[in-house]
Amino acid sequence: MTWIEARNLLVAFAVIFWIAFAYWVFKDARRRIADPWLVGFATLLGLVPPFIGPFIYMLFRPPEYLEDVRERELEIKAIEERLAHGDLQCPVCRAAVQESFLVCPVCTTRLKQACVNCKAPLEAIWQVCPYCETPIAPMAAVTKAHSSG
Ligand SMILES: [Zn+2]
Ligand SMILES: [Zn+2]
C-alpha cells in the first residue's frame, strides 16, 4: 500500500465518520427538539466543525426525549383531571375511594374519622360534626388515647 492509498483510505474513513456523526446528531436532535429550525441548526453543528460539533451538541442538547416530556405532561394532565373531577384515591394503594368511605376497602387503610355520635365521615380539618354538632377530637388524640389505654 502506497502512502497516497493509505492517506486516501484515512480521508475516506474520516469523511464516513464525519457524515455518520452528523447523521447521529440529526437523529438525536429530532427526538429531543420540536423546532425543525433548531434541529437543522444542531445538524449543522454536527457537520461543522467536524467531529468537535457533535460533542458541543452533546453538551447543550435537551436532557430529555420529546416522547418522555409528552408522556410526563399527559401524566400530569391525568392527575390534574382526576383532582378536578374530585375522584379520590387511597393514599396507600391508589384504589378509587369515595368521599364517604372511612377506610379503604382494598387495603383497609383508615381514610377518615367517623363521628362518635352519628358515625358520619368527617373531614380532617373539621372541629365539629356538621350533622349532629358533636365536637370532634383530633385524630392524633384519638390514636394516642387508643395506644395508651
Ligand atoms: Zn387502599
Ligand atoms: Zn355527628
Side-chain angles (χ1 to χ4, degrees), residues 28-89:
D28 194 75
R30 221 173 30 172
R31 291 186 68 187
R32 292 172 193 269
I33 304 168
D35 187 349
W37 285 100
L38 278 176
V39 174
F41 179 74
T43 309
L44 203 69
L45 188 68
L47 283 167
V48 186
F51 306 110
I52 300 162
F55 287 102
I56 296 171
Y57 164 75
M58 277 170 77
L59 292 177
F60 291 103
R61 69 183 180 181
E64 285 179 304
Y65 288 132
L66 286 173
E67 52 198 277
D68 292 344
V69 174
R70 208 171 300 139
E71 214 167 83
R72 201 186 48 220
E73 276 171 0
L74 281 177
E75 232 165 71
I76 290 170
K77 207 186 252 177
I79 291 169
E80 278 174 352
E81 260 168 33
R82 208 152 49 207
L83 289 175
H85 290 151
D87 285 354
L88 295 172
Q89 268 188 341

Side-chain angles (χ1 to χ4, degrees), residues 114-122 128-136:
C115 173
V116 289
N117 184 40
C118 70
K119 304 291 179 222
L122 305 171
V128 64
C129 175
Y131 306 103
C132 69
E133 291 183 60
T134 302
I136 299 162

